Amino acid sequence: MEKVHVVDHPLVQHKLCILRDENTGVKDFREVVSEIATLMCYEATRDLPLEDVEIKTPITTATFRHLSGKKLAIVPILRAGLGMVDGILTLIPSAKVGHIGLYRDPQTLEPVEYYCKMPTDIAERDVIILDPMLATGGSASAAIQFIKNYDVKHIKLMNIIAAPEGIERIRRDHPDVEIYCAAVDEKLNDHGYIVPGLGDAGDRIFGTK
Ligand code: PRP
Ligand code: URA
């Protein structure tokens, strides 16, 4: 099974250019993050199981396929992952939402946890973790381990931009987790920012800089 999926659909690539542009303001940035999340959700849910269902149309009765009712949860990594939540719920309105608060210590680049609230039945759900940026991979790796500690069996990670270093870290720490991203960028700079990247995703979504 391929474990890193780059969503190279033209609409996603076009919208990603808008995010990368330093002149894109908060309102547009927020809207486009959400739109990209919706488009990526379409790819990340491609393997959802279907089951037969009989439906009476106005013409006849026939057998069709609908979702087999598999339970999903999405878990944004605060803050920036919040920007992707509504875009996913557009397609999967019944998904439950857990939250993990992590920030990266600017000196050590190590993730620091400050909040966690999961749905009570999280162990029975497949989980998609949301974070626009996969840089060193420290935050995502910690979030994945955190959710595994709840006995969750199937976890996917959805990022908008990933650095090779972050992908490598997740492949090493959690080889079972599939990664969905819209781009794999060149590298990290000395401050742990993705190059060329889009800057600080949290600050751009919430207008804090
Ligand atoms: C950003 C981003 C990721 C993390 C990625 O969050 O949203 O969570 O950095 O970096 P890593 O792969 O090296 O761990 P940040 O720590 O800036 O917190 P914020 O969302 O509150 O701004
Ligand atoms: N977090 C961000 O928001 N941007 C980066 O480039 C790296 C980590």
Side-chain angles (χ1 to χ4, degrees):
M1 192 205 309
E2 183 52 61
K3 293 289 189 182
V4 182
H5 307 265
V6 180
V7 181
D8 60 359
H9 191 287
L11 288 175
V12 173
Q13 295 305 311
H14 179 84
K15 289 175 189 297
L16 182 51
C17 289
I18 298 171
L19 295 188
R20 290 188 189 278
D21 188 334
E22 66 173 4
N23 293 315
T24 299
V26 174
K27 175 179 176 290
D28 288 340
F29 193 90
R30 209 179 273 151
E31 284 174 6
V32 173
V33 165
S34 186
E35 287 171 2
I36 291 178
T38 303
L39 294 167
M40 292 185 68
C41 178
Y42 185 79
E43 279 302 321
T45 52
R46 188 174 275 284
D47 59 354
L48 282 180
L50 298 171
E51 64 184 9
D52 287 350
V53 58
E54 203 169 84
I55 293 177
K56 188 172 179 305
T57 76
I59 309 300
T60 187
T61 297
T63 301
F64 301 97
R65 315 263 289 148
H66 73 174
L67 289 173
S68 72
K70 197 168 183 70
K71 291 177 167 181
L72 288 175
I74 55 176
V75 179
I77 300 178
L78 310 184
R79 288 178 299 167
L82 285 175
M84 299 171 76
V85 170
D86 284 352
I88 305 289
L89 293 180
T90 299
L91 290 188
I92 318 175
S94 59
K96 289 195 176 175
V97 185
H99 294 85
I100 296 182
L102 292 174
Y103 70 87
R104 224 172 45 151
D105 182 287
Q107 258 74 50
T108 64
L109 300 184
E110 287 300 315
V112 181
E113 186 200 322
Y114 61 90
Y115 185 77
C116 177
K117 183 83 179 170
M118 291 295 145
T120 49
D121 61 353
I122 189 83
E124 296 152 35
R125 294 178 176 265
D126 287 357
V127 169
I128 305 177
I129 297 174
L130 310 175
D131 194 327
M133 310 305 275
L134 180 66
T136 65
S139 304
S141 182
I144 292 166
Q145 189 54 55
F146 208 81
I147 291 167
K148 283 184 173 175
N149 293 346
Y150 281 85
D151 221 15
V152 173
K153 299 289 180 300
H154 296 111
I155 300 173
K156 290 178 178 176
L157 174 65
M158 188 188 291
N159 308 111
I160 295 180
I161 300 181
E165 294 89 334
I167 290 177
E168 182 59 35
R169 171 85 185 260
I170 302 301
R171 306 283 348 102
R172 194 177 68 238
D173 293 356
H174 303 288
D176 53 307
V177 171
E178 285 180 77
I179 302 171
Y180 290 80
C181 62
V184 179
D185 275 9
E186 196 186 320
K187 61 177 182 184
L188 297 179
N189 69 14
D190 293 343
H191 306 286
Y193 279 88
I194 299 176
V195 180
L198 52 71
D200 187 305
D203 282 342
R204 296 197 65 189
I205 290 171
F206 296 107
T208 40
K209 210 170 252 177

